[in-house]
Each structure stands twice: as C-alpha cells, then as structure tokens.
Amino acid sequence: MKQVIQNYRDGNLELADVPAPALKSDFVLVRNAASLISAGTEKNMLGMAKKNLIEKALERPDLVRQVIAKAKNEGIFEAYKQAMNRLDTPVPLGYSSAGILIGIRDKIREFREGDRVACTGSGFASHAEIVSVPENLVVKLPDSVNFESASFAALGGIALQAVRLASPVLGERVLVIGLGLLGQISVQLLKAGGCHVFGIDIETEKIRMALQYGMERGAVIGKENIDMLLKEFAPDGFDSVLIMASAKSSEILETAAAAAKEKGKIVATGLVGLTIPRDLFFHKELELIVSRAWGPGSLEDQLLQKKSEYPYSYVRWTAKRNLEEFVSLLSSGSVKVEHLITHKFPIEKASEAYQLILEQKEPYIGVLFTYSLEEKQDFKSSMFSKVILTPPRQAPELRTEKIQIGVIGGGLFSTVLLPVLKQFKNLRLKGIATTTGVHSKHAGKKYGFDYCSANYREILTDTDINLVMILTRHGQHAKLITESLMAGKHVYVEKPLAVNQEQLTSIAKAYKEKAQKKEGEITPILFVGFNRRFSPLARWLKNRLPKQTENFLFHYTINAGAVPRDHWVHDPEQGGGRIIGEVCHFIDLIQFFTDS
C-alpha cells in the first residue's frame, strides 16, 4: 500500500510502498477514503526535519536534556547511537482521516466490518491507504456525513477541546486569534454556543470566510487598528481568548493578554511562544491554559492500547466523546467544513500537496488526500502481502545447514542486534515482520533483508527460513515461540522467555512435542537472549572464582536507570515488570557463575 512518510534525519519526504499494518488487539483496520493535512503541524514538522543537528537541538532543548541524561547513564557513544537511530526512524505523517472499517477483532463489539468511520491519532490515522487505529480513537459516521467532512474529525476535536477549556457561556465575548482550520471551526463552535466572536488573522480571505459562518467582527493584522477595534467590540475586555495561530515569538500571547478582561481565560492551542508578560497577567489575574490534543484519552497509552475510558461521571468529555460530538455537529449542520476544503489531491500526488504548502504559491486552508475505495483483489488474502526489498539471490553455501533468518519485531533492541548480524557473511537476512508497515520496510531496507511484511506468519510459512529471531515486547514471546517451534524453526528469543507460569508451561509443552522428532525432522534449538554470561569479563571472572564447596553470596549492583511509570515494560501483560523483564539477565549471570 502507499503511505506518506518522512525521515527526520535528512528531512526527505516519500510516498512509500509499505506492507499494510497488522490487526492488533483493541485496534481496527480502516481503508481510508480521505485524510486531512494539518497544514500548521505538518509544515512545522517538515521544516524541523530539514534543519541540521545543531538547529534541531536548539529547537528541542527538552530532547537534548534526555540525550545528556542517557549519556551520563550509558556513555556518550551509546547515547549518540540511540539518538541517531531515533532520528533515522521514518515518521508517518497525518493524524485525521475517514474511511471504511475492514478489519476487527471479535471482542470489539462497538463496530462491524463495513462501518463508515472517522479516525484520529498521530501515528495511527495517517496519510495511508490502510491505517491501524486504537478503538478509542475511532467513531462511527452517520449517513449524512461524507468522508471528506469526516476527515476533519481530529481538527474538530482539537477545536472543541479548546473551546471547552475556555468555558464560554451564552452571551460572552470571545476573541479568536488565527483563522486557519482550527480558528474557522472554533468560530462556528462558539457561535453554536451563543457567543459573540471577534477574529483576527493576517489574511483578508480568512476574515471574509469566518464572517460568513458565525463571526460577528474581524480585523486583518497589519492593515487595521486592531487595538481600537477590539476595544469597540469588547469595551470591558474579552471573557476568553483562543490562540489558534502559530508563531515563535510571544507577541500573540501579549496581544491576547491585553485584549482579555480581568480574570479572563487564554487558551493556547497553536504553537506560539509562551513567555508570559507578567505585569499584564498579574494586574488582570489572567488564567493561561495550554490545550492538549482533542481531550483526555487522546495521548494516554493505557487508554489507547486497551478498551477503557475515563468514567463518564468524572470526566464528561473525553477524546472519544469530543470526536463523537463533533461528528454530531457535522451531521446536524451546526458546523460546516466543506467550504474549508480548498485543494484535493489523490494520494499518488502527495508531493504536489506538500509543495503547495511549503512554497505557498497560492492560498490554501484545507488540503485533502483522497483514496480509491475499490478493491482490486480480495482484501483478506492480499492485505498482508510482503514487499520485496532486494533482488532474488542465492543463499550462501555453508559447510553446515544454510542459516537463513526471519525476524519478528523491530523495537529498540533490533537496532543493537541487526547491525551485528549484518556483518556475518554466512548469514542471510531473509525476511522481517513488524506490526507497522513503515517500520518493517525501514528496518528491512536498512539491514539488507530480502523482504518485509506486517504479518509475522509470512516468516513462519517461509520454507527457506530456518531460524526465527523474536524481538517483540515481552508479552508476545510465548505465543510467537510456540508458533515458531510448531512451524519447525529454530528460535532465538530476546529475554525474557515468558512473563508468567502459564506461558512458560505452553512453551515447554510445544518444545517437548517438537523434540520428539519424527524421521527427517530436526530437533529445534530454543535459545534465550541472555548475553551477560558471554562477556569476556564474565568468563575471566568465572575462571577466578573458587570451586563451589559451599553457598555463595552475590552482591550485584545494576546501573539501569529509571523507566517512566507509563512505559510498557511495567504493564503486566506487555512487559511483565522490571524483575521479569530485566533482572532475569542478572539471575542468569549468577547461574553462570555458580553452574546452578
């Protein structure tokens, strides 16, 4: 399938052919009909990616601090290597789309295949023919809402969340600074709520458009006396101000503070400088809120990865409920977005769309990608087809059995292991499978695999592959080990072998079954990636330990660093916790020292 991706290291933009994403638990698969370019966000990402390393560092001092902290814990070289790997990872662009649901797990009862849906989420609702989206970021569409309007769902949710944070009530006066997509939608939401809206922007056409859809007064920055017009419209100051513009300086925040009434609210949604003019904020006792995405649940992993929601009685408007309400407003006609669509491009002409945005040769507001919904062949049999990366070649002849490797998983540890494997001339890196087609292709191309896929069963059914390497999250190890063994493969699995006793039992049962080989079958090798015992220093130390005649007492100091509380390793299902996920390494080393 086709997907728009960007390399953050060199800034290159590409419409890539990648495998369709895998269907994961609590996710759905959607064939896109339309996706909206968030011009402000994506233009900023494109500009950022084009900068050199020093410029990137100056733009993101927060990330620089993370690299410095890693260097203190793990050394400068390791920190640099991981930073470069992060930059080299392709980024899927887009976070708002609409289409037809084509893949679903049985336990998700809210949707059915064939449903018309709107999708949101960075890294999920991307500019791609098929997307994999968490169930909590997908909402059904009524028949009255077409796909092009529904592709505004994420932007509508963002505007709705900003308006909610401003808490306007009937009759209040609200200033909207910046009348791009978010500003235009915000104007309509405020009008539907009975507010008197004034808007400012640098473009006359955007003022004219907003005046047609609910804004009462407007002014063009640099062409009119803004201060005087604001005073005329709201003599006592605006009850709230929504900042929907984007600018590096804090001048917009100063304008907002000057226009707000005493004890007024300022909601900053656009990417603007936030150096607070203290005197204004002090004398007026102003409140500044920086809104986040489209509501609670839009960014929290625990809500995206599992079917759960904040309790209705405690959090009335979550991300999903905001999306549902925005779709309802589209359906009723209270909010209209068709007039905001100034350009439409088929996904095949993605480069032309971004050229329009970057060069600004003509005015634009809403730029859409469109996709064909026609099935060229049976989806169920073709969606996980592998992508060939290198021309067919003969496996190297070895004195022993040819070692042809298939890799499942492409997480952080793969960036450590795969460069090492690439150095061995007697190995053939045959295929790699990850759940996202973008990362699968990137890793496959970078390390010289013959093909990539988003379906790990491509690896298991490949008769050439005799060694499967499992580099996924811990909770998936047991399932993939048993399936690989039953497929007749040797298995290398990153630690831990399993995360609970039930999984361990299932592995033992599968191994025992395959170990009782029939004529012509091999006895499988199952190897766990405990690596400390192979260190030259570990072997040196073991040779100097006294022969064990009584119990040893080992004191093992570990410099592992803190792992954020929301990291998947703490999840009992995905990671098993740090004892099972990490301390297993050190238990294994002690077992090596003691031959126990």
Side-chain angles (χ1 to χ4, degrees), residues 8-19:
Y8 227 67
R9 188 171 185 174
D10 56 25
N12 288 337
L13 197 67
E14 179 186 3
L15 179 64
D17 285 311
V18 302

Side-chain angles (χ1 to χ4, degrees), residues 1 3 18-24 28-30 128-133 379 383-384 434-438 454-455:
M1 70 166 194
Q3 180 164 4
V18 302
L23 180 56
K24 300 187 288 186
V28 298
L29 290 178
V30 176
E129 291 181 299
I130 298 171
V131 292
S132 175
V133 189
F379 173 75
M383 66 170 291
F384 292 126
T434 71
T435 54
T436 60
V438 171
N455 181 5

Side-chain angles (χ1 to χ4, degrees), residues 554-556 585-596:
F554 281 89
H555 182 98
Y556 201 139
H585 257 318
F586 315 120
I587 299 297
D588 178 74
L589 182 57
I590 293 170
Q591 289 177 322
F592 168 68
F593 285 145
T594 58
D595 291 317
S596 62

Side-chain angles (χ1 to χ4, degrees), residues 280-294:
L280 271 173
F281 271 74
F282 173 77
H283 288 295
K284 290 188 175 183
E285 206 169 42
L286 298 175
E287 182 178 350
L288 173 63
I289 305 171
V290 180
S291 65
R292 184 178 73 168
W294 43 94

Side-chain angles (χ1 to χ4, degrees), residues 443-468:
K445 199 172 178 182
K446 182 174 182 178
Y447 299 114
F449 284 84
D450 290 1
Y451 66 84
C452 64
S453 175
N455 181 5
Y456 72 89
R457 289 190 174 88
E458 294 272 10
I459 303 297
L460 302 186
T461 57
D462 189 329
T463 55
D464 290 338
I465 290 173
N466 47 28
L467 171 59
V468 173

Side-chain angles (χ1 to χ4, degrees), residues 10 43 79 231 251 277 302 338 411 517 570:
D10 56 25
K43 185 178 181 180
K231 278 289 184 186
E251 188 176 343
Q302 63 268 32
E338 291 90 343
K517 62 179 182 177
H570 297 303

Side-chain angles (χ1 to χ4, degrees), residues 204-238:
T204 304
E205 178 59 25
K206 290 179 180 177
I207 298 290
R208 183 195 63 76
M209 185 178 289
L211 286 170
Q212 289 181 327
Y213 288 88
M215 190 171 76
E216 294 180 24
R217 293 284 300 278
V220 182
I221 297 172
K223 294 183 180 181
E224 299 177 76
N225 188 333
I226 301 291
D227 292 338
M228 183 186 72
L229 293 173
L230 293 177
K231 278 289 184 186
E232 288 179 358
F233 190 81
D236 297 314
F238 287 88

